[in-house]
Amino acid sequence: EVQLVQSGAEVKKPGESLTISCEASGYSFTMYWIGWVRQTPGKGLEWLGIIYPGDSDTRYSPSFEGQLTISADKSIDTAYLQWSSLKASDTATYFCVRQQTADYWGQGTQVTVSS
Amino acid sequence: EIVLTQSPGILSLSPGEKATLSCRASQSLSGNQLAWYQQRPGQAPRLLMYGASDRPPFIPDRFSGSGSGTDFTLTISRLGPEDFAVYYCQQYGTSPFTFGPGTTVDIK
């Protein structure tokens, strides 16, 4: 059974750093792209970027390039989304998904950034 | 960036009725690379349709997709109680991939 299991909810202050994770199981991690999507009440669903764990080829949506970093560790079948300096506007639920067609979704990680 | 517009914003129907949801793209989608997702409250979205009309094996056949170019439709032939949810379309053919704002199907 394909599963994407994400790390738990986070509460952070503006300017802090954060890494959230997405552990894959039930399929060959290196053979499928892993994407990240965020959801906010105001802007709905937004595609952040995608990585191919097999060779770490990473593509970012232009709006998010430079704002966050997507990575993957194929030795432990885990993808990551990280921020070096959070802003209040990063408050959202973040989902990892498999493939561009998002055929499987993680359960979501709620990130709250507030002073 | 390709903008997706969904209509109607809210669709109020009774169980057993047919639902027709529309998604329009600001430019033609190459290869009909359009997907539909369903999101129930408190859950992650789930894939209903890809390639505009291809259904994953775990999706009931009361869901069907059609369309090409810029106009796409998701049809639910007979609404079951679990189908009252929000539905999103997404284009994945041109970066940045984009989602529509969603159509809420609620109980009349």
Side-chain angles (χ1 to χ4, degrees):
Chain A
E1 180 194 5
V2 173
Q3 284 194 304
L4 299 174
V5 178
Q6 298 184 228
S7 50
E10 301 275 1
V11 179
K12 292 288 190 178
K13 293 185 177 357
E16 291 187 330
S17 63
L18 174 65
T19 299
I20 62 175
S21 65
C22 169
E23 183 177 0
S25 60
Y27 72 97
S28 178
F29 182 66
T30 56
M31 294 182 66
Y32 292 80
W33 293 82
I34 288 275
W36 287 93
V37 175
R38 82 174 184 185
Q39 186 169 35
T40 59
K43 293 191 173 183
L45 293 166
E46 297 175 282
W47 188 276
L48 306 181
I50 196 165
I51 187 167
Y52 189 74
D55 61 5
S56 294
D57 183 7
T58 308
R59 322 270 176 92
Y60 294 94
S61 290
S63 298
F64 297 98
E65 183 134 33
Q67 308 303 309
L68 42 80
T69 301
I70 294 170
S71 61
D73 184 342
K74 58 187 180 183
S75 70
I76 54 171
D77 294 352
T78 300
Y80 301 96
L81 181 63
Q82 66 183 81
W83 296 261
S84 58
S85 181
L86 286 160
K87 307 180 189 103
S89 57
D90 294 317
T91 295
T93 299
Y94 292 84
F95 295 98
C96 60
V97 300
R98 193 181 77 159
Q99 293 286 80
Q100 292 85 342
T101 48
D103 57 354
Y104 290 91
W105 293 64
Q107 83 276 21
T109 297
Q110 174 66 45
V111 174
T112 304
V113 184
S114 174
S115 54
Chain B
E1 173 174 314
I2 295 177
V3 176
L4 299 179
T5 305
Q6 291 187 245
S7 60
I10 300 173
L11 189 55
S12 296
L13 295 167
S14 300
E17 288 194 295
K18 176 180 177 180
T20 303
L21 288 67
S22 174
C23 177
R24 177 165 288 177
S26 60
Q27 57 188 273
S28 185
L29 302 188
S30 61
N32 289 337
Q33 290 179 301
L34 183 106
W36 289 93
Y37 303 91
Q38 176 195 67
Q39 187 175 31
R40 297 175 178 139
Q43 296 185 15
R46 70 163 179 162
L47 178 67
L48 293 178
M49 209 71 57
Y50 62 96
S53 60
D54 292 322
R55 194 175 53 244
F58 46 83
I59 299 301
D61 61 6
R62 64 178 181 276
F63 291 93
S64 62
S66 63
S68 63
T70 60
D71 290 302
F72 300 87
T73 300
L74 176 72
T75 302
I76 311 170
S77 59
R78 294 173 309 279
L79 283 165
E82 65 277 21
D83 298 334
F84 293 93
V86 182
Y87 293 83
Y88 297 96
C89 57
Q90 177 221 7
Q91 68 81 18
Y92 54 93
T94 301
S95 181
F97 303 156
T98 47
F99 292 88
T103 290
T104 299
V105 178
D106 68 11
I107 299 177
K108 188 173 181 180

